[in-house]
Amino acid sequence: MLLITELCCLLQSYIAYADPVDTSAVSMLSVPNAMKQLESDGYYDFRMIKIERKHNEIAVKARNRVGEAVELEMDLYTGIILHEKMHSTEIQ
């Protein structure tokens, strides 16, 4: 009987401390928040902002701090810039 009681206590403690799966805690970055973050990083003159949910990215055409045309891929949830591609031609 003591073994069963110890096993029950062990299972209850495992369940109590298990990591919860809460998808509401992770939210997507809104377009205005993404723009504010990019502006604080020195980007401006946004020409295109496209949310790509399939790839969890936000694609943005803009200009960097020195005025060069760039295309950015930003993580939809963290706001981290994943890729920055320079354009040799003007942004259309």
Side-chain angles (χ1 to χ4, degrees):
M1 185 68 160
L2 184 61
L3 181 59
I4 293 172
T5 305
E6 289 177 11
L7 185 57
C8 286
C9 290
L10 179 63
L11 285 174
Q12 286 176 347
S13 67
Y14 175 73
I15 292 169
Y17 295 110
D19 290 334
V21 177
D22 184 7
T23 57
S24 66
V26 178
S27 60
M28 289 188 297
L29 197 60
S30 69
V31 171
N33 286 340
M35 290 177 63
K36 286 178 188 176
Q37 184 172 338
L38 290 170
E39 285 175 339
S40 71
D41 290 340
Y43 296 97
Y44 65 98
D45 193 23
F46 303 107
R47 298 295 176 110
M48 186 237 2
I49 299 174
K50 180 180 176 185
I51 296 176
E52 297 178 359
R53 293 177 199 239
K54 181 178 178 182
H55 301 289
N56 294 328
E57 294 176 354
I58 300 175
V60 179
K61 288 185 181 177
R63 295 196 181 276
N64 63 15
R65 289 180 191 263
V66 295
E68 298 169 322
V70 294
E71 185 171 340
L72 307 166
E73 291 177 2
M74 181 180 215
D75 185 276
L76 186 56
Y77 294 94
T78 64
I80 295 171
I81 297 174
L82 304 171
H83 300 322
E84 179 177 335
K85 179 181 173 185
M86 303 291 199
H87 288 274
S88 58
T89 59
E90 290 294 310
I91 297 176
Q92 298 296 322

